[in-house]
Structures are given as C-alpha cells and as structure tokens.
Amino acid sequence: MSDEEAGRARDFIGYGRNPPDPRWPGGAHVVCNFVINYEEGGEASVPDGDPNSENALTEGSTAPVKGRDLAAESMFAYGSRAGFWRLHRIFTARGMPCTVFAVARALQRNPEACAAMREAGWDVAAHGLRWEMHNAFDKATERERIAQATAVITRCIGERPAGWYTRYAPSLNTRRLLIEAGYEYDSDAYDDELPYWVKCAGRDALVVPYSLVHNDVRFPRMGMSSGSEYFEYMRDAIECVLREDPPRMLSFGLHNRIIAHPGRAMGLARLLDWIGNHPRVAVMRRVDIARHWRKEHPAP
C-alpha cells in the first residue's frame, strides 16, 4: 500500500494563501474545540498484565520505575476520581460543550463518568481500545482493535463514536481502516487549523486536525507552571487569529490528570469566561465541526 492509498501523502501546501471561509455558525471568526482526553484506566499497568506501569504525562514521569509504579498508578487514578469531575463542573456550569477523546477500557471502568458525558451532551470520539500507539500494529490486529474500541464505546455511551484520534502515532493503515469501520472523520494530524479532505484508498476522508501546541501537556513536558500562564498562552492564540488571520479552528487538549489540578484548572476557567464574553469566538463540539465542514465544504 502506498502512502497515497492510505491517505498519507505529504502535503506541504495545504490551503495556501487563500484558505476557504469556514462560514462558522453565528459568524464566529474563531471556533474553539476543547477536548478532554479520557485515558485513566486504559493505560499500561501491571495489574492488567503489562510488564511495566505507564508513567507518561504524570508528574513523576522523569523517574523511571521498573515493573509496577504505584505512584504513577495513583496519578492516573486522580484523573478519573477527582480531575474529571472538576472539568465536568467547569464546563457544565458555563453551559459550554466539549469533546471527549475516550479510551474504551477507561470508560468501562467508570460508568458514572459515562453517564455524566451523556447528560452533558458531550460528543465522545474514540481514542483507542487502550492508550496505545498503533504504528507497530499489523493490519489485522489494528482492524480488530478499532472494532473492539468502537463496540465498547458504543455500549458505554449509548451512541457510536463518529471520530477517532490515535495516541500520537497512527499506522499507514489507520485512516483506511477507520473509513472501512464507518468513521466520519479522524484527528490524526497536526498540520492545519481547518478541516480538510484527503483521498484514501479511492475514497474521501475528512481530517479535523488536532494540536499538541495548545494542549495542557505543556505543564509536564515544557515547564508551564501556573493557571495564569495557561490562560495567557491560550488567550493569546485566539487573539492572534482574531487580529491577524482569516477564520480558523483551534483545538485545546485537556487531560483529567493534568489541567484539572486546582491551581491549573483556574486558568482554564478564566479562559472559558473570557471566551464566553467574546462575540467573535465560539465553542463547538468536534463532531459538529466535522458535520458543518461536510455540509459547507463537501469533498471535491
């Protein structure tokens, strides 16, 4: 299979100097999509049969531990026990929608959180069967993982996921397999600030790009230290587009075990309040962005 067949040809041009007008609802100039990555309980762990505990995106991730890492396990558990509920309160108190990138096994372990997602009307996109990268999977294994993740999330949420996001590294087969599985879009790209279409195995695939730049991973990885820093950095991203650019979509990634700690969460709360008072900025669910794009800018 060639890169083109898998929808993975490298494109360094994109929309160029004349991007399409998204025609966002309500005439918004910037549409923001907030994504809660729900991963806690789907990561590698010794009790689940893995040789080592996962410690990525935890406060102690610079301390290598062989075998079972009880500290890392506890930090993941904070995300589902306390962090998720803080984010749930922050968004629902303001009536703002968000998207969940959900690891299927993580949802299975917290039915109450699944109920809260349903009640809030959040869209739940698939983030894998487990919190794992797909780049090393053979085609048959990956097809089975996608099918299992889809089935589990459908049971937990009561609705089939429309979108997919792989943990960082998809395989050359991922996009094709997602089309075969009936997904409306994937977010396995970081190369634009507007959705776009690609050809994949002779079919049209919609890509709704994601971002690791406007993401709370900057706390553990890049030294962001306070909620005020978070607020200023993300606000500046929106203001840059408002002042300098044509209409855009900006993705803001969140994690229950990172941004939801109190000193950081206040920065998110301030950002949502600032957005709520800005007439040219809107917040949309990712599935609504994808369907809006499909309607306003159908595949060529």
Side-chain angles (χ1 to χ4, degrees), residues 104-105 129 141 143-153 155:
R105 291 272 176 86
L129 177 65
T141 299
R143 179 182 283 114
E144 180 61 21
R145 286 286 211 283
I146 290 171
Q148 289 178 332
T150 306
V152 169
I153 293 171
R155 287 197 299 270

Side-chain angles (χ1 to χ4, degrees), residues 52-53 55 60 63-71:
N52 295 288
S53 298
N55 68 359
V65 175
K66 292 183 179 180
R68 190 172 183 183
D69 185 341
L70 295 177

